[in-house]
Amino acid sequence: MIVFLTKEEEAMLKGEHGQAVRKSMEILVALGKIFGADRMLDVTSVQVAGVSYHNLGDAGLDFLHELSRDGKVRVLTTLNPAGMDIERWKELGFSEDFAKKQKQVLDAFSDMGIIQSCTCIPYLVGNLPTFGQHIAWSESSAVCFANSVIGARTNREGGPSALAAALTGKTPNFGLHLDENRQAQIIVNVEMEIKGSDWAALGLAIGKRIGNKIPLIRGVKTASIEELKSFSASIATYGGTAMFHIDGITPNRTTTPSDKISIGKADIESARTELNDACDPDFVGIGCPHCSIQEIAEIAKKLRGKKVSVATWIFTARQTKAMADMRGYTADIEHSGAKLVCDTCMAVAPLKGRFNCLATNSAKACFYGRGSNNFKTRFGSLDQCIDAAVSGKWK
Ligand code: F3S
């Protein structure tokens, strides 16, 4: 299919708006051709993943330097986590060489006008689109949250295509930008009450059963933002879907599919078992996706007056930490010996070889902990994780 381009978009493609815009438009037109887009859409918001130097390497850094020569973003653009805490990298054990390269990556993004938010919860720190807006986000959990919970429209962008959208303000019209591709494909009846870390287990259980189909989930009565963010991360990781509907909770309309499955207690238990290796944690990691201020308040309360006996890192956005500082939550957490870590996460920081057994309440963190960092994992409730942080034992 030919992608129709406006005069302005043609000019972008010809290089009349600079080389970064030309290269970006080439990427978007190529994607549009592959996926049968008829035209380009204007986007209002971009989230760029692929920020850690650990994943980008020198080739990625060169690509960013090239774009940053004359590239400037045209819409609100925020960044996914980087490979380290930008301020406390030394104290947290990251090398000088790595920090130097990571800073170069961040400088290149900054030169393009991108906000160094370095978090996977852009929607909680100022990059919050509205229902129906077309956006271009990378980061699978945020994409799933944006499509499903907010009702904005985005495909699951890669780092380069999201950056291209930021530099042009455009994205090709295909996939989840179109009504017909946002309809539920299978009903999932949930036959138990879901709360806390059940949401992460539910995402795994459903994801493994339905793959990348869009589910219409029934039987769930309430869900907090934190639970929906955990579920978004889990279902996107284990199934690959970029969108879900929950009856009575999410805002998108959908037709009713005829295929059906049920998820009950046994499925949630088996998801929990799957994420648990026989090990006692030497690393407790909370905040995948990054913790909200509400979660930090809860963790601070649980850690107040206690001492942790193993490395305990609570991951959040720097903007959220600023609120935690004001309320004294950071002090409560850090007095226990745990660290409130910003700008990075368990999956994109180079942590391989530093720890053996990760305890977490995130199913997604287990996936990447095992895959990228070779950790054994323990998955459970926040209480179980805090208990493991204090005792060094998994109960
Ligand atoms: Fe966020 Fe990293 Fe988890 S990007 S969703 S904390 S793997």
Side-chain angles (χ1 to χ4, degrees), residues 34 72 232 240 260:
I34 292 167
K72 287 276 178 270
S232 297
K260 272 188 192 120

Side-chain angles (χ1 to χ4, degrees), residues 11-321:
M12 289 178 172
L13 193 58
K14 284 186 193 143
E16 290 171 21
H17 294 259
Q19 290 314 302
V21 169
R22 180 189 57 74
K23 204 172 193 96
S24 299
M25 200 41 118
E26 280 173 5
I27 292 172
L28 298 176
V29 168
L31 271 176
K33 280 186 183 157
I34 292 167
F35 292 103
D38 57 346
R39 65 193 167 99
M40 292 289 161
L41 297 166
D42 291 331
V43 294
T44 54
S45 153
V46 173
Q47 165 80 357
V48 175
V51 181
S52 171
Y53 174 71
H54 184 54
N55 300 332
L56 281 170
D58 284 329
L61 182 54
D62 289 347
F63 175 71
L64 293 177
H65 276 149
E66 201 187 319
L67 289 180
S68 69
R69 257 180 235 136
D70 68 347
K72 287 276 178 270
V73 297
R74 292 175 179 231
V75 295
L76 175 65
T77 304
T78 45
L79 278 189
N80 225 39
M84 61 180 199
D85 186 303
I86 299 165
E87 289 178 3
R88 298 169 80 188
W89 53 271
K90 203 177 250 176
E91 177 194 342
L92 293 166
F94 296 96
S95 76
E96 196 105 23
D97 285 349
F98 181 79
K100 198 169 141 206
K101 292 286 191 176
Q102 183 62 74
K103 282 182 184 160
Q104 287 174 15
V105 168
L106 292 169
D107 287 346
F109 281 125
S110 208
D111 289 346
M112 288 185 259
I114 299 177
I115 297 168
Q116 285 190 20
S117 49
C118 297
T119 182
C120 50
I121 50 163
Y123 45 89
L124 292 185
V125 297
N127 190 354
L128 176 63
T130 56
F131 183 88
Q133 281 186 332
H134 295 283
I135 61 175
W137 282 16
S138 41
E139 167 45 40
S140 64
S141 71
V143 165
C144 203
F145 188 97
N147 277 318
S148 316
V149 182
I150 302 168
R153 296 180 173 219
T154 177
N155 285 316
R156 201 164 154 163
E157 302 291 345
S161 64
L163 192 50
L167 295 172
T168 58
K170 308 282 176 181
T171 197
N173 184 32
F174 71 91
L176 290 169
H177 291 286
L178 300 169
D179 283 345
E180 61 264 34
N181 298 325
R182 299 174 63 84
Q183 305 303 313
Q185 295 160 301
I186 185 162
I187 295 177
V188 178
N189 287 313
V190 176
E191 297 173 334
M192 64 175 282
E193 194 192 343
I194 301 290
K195 47 182 186 205
S197 62
D198 288 339
W199 280 95
L202 181 69
L204 184 156
I206 297 178
K208 287 218 154 168
R209 291 274 294 278
I210 69 166
N212 62 8
K213 286 186 185 151
I214 299 177
L216 168 57
I217 298 164
R218 288 184 166 156
V220 171
K221 291 188 185 62
T222 58
S224 66
I225 287 295
E226 287 75 14
E227 289 167 337
L228 291 168
K229 105 176 143 59
S230 167
F231 180 69
S232 297
S234 186
I235 194 170
T237 299
Y238 289 95
T241 190
M243 183 169 174
F244 57 83
H245 302 268
I246 304 182
D247 221 3
I249 291 178
T250 55
N252 296 287
R253 290 214 182 124
T254 179
T255 48
T256 307
S258 50
D259 279 3
K260 272 188 192 120
I261 59 164
S262 295
I263 297 283
K265 255 197 172 110
D267 299 289
I268 299 297
E269 275 321 306
S270 113
R272 287 183 177 279
T273 308
E274 189 180 328
L275 297 175
N276 271 282
D277 299 313
C279 61
D280 281 324
D282 57 354
F283 178 40
V284 176
I286 312 286
C288 171
H290 277 175
C291 287
S292 68
I293 190 65
Q294 171 87 355
E295 288 170 310
I296 290 176
E298 209 181 326
I299 293 164
K301 194 169 164 199
K302 290 182 194 296
L303 281 175
R304 198 168 297 146
K306 297 197 175 119
K307 287 278 171 228
V308 299
S309 66
V310 299
T312 302
W313 293 9
I314 316 297
F315 295 88
T316 193
R318 186 160 294 284
Q319 301 83 340
T320 313
K321 180 175 177 287

Side-chain angles (χ1 to χ4, degrees), residues 80-81 120 139 141 233 287-290 344-348 362 364-365 368:
N80 225 39
C120 50
E139 167 45 40
S141 71
C288 171
H290 277 175
T344 188
C345 87
M346 291 170 263
V348 298
S362 163
K364 179 173 179 177
Y368 285 101

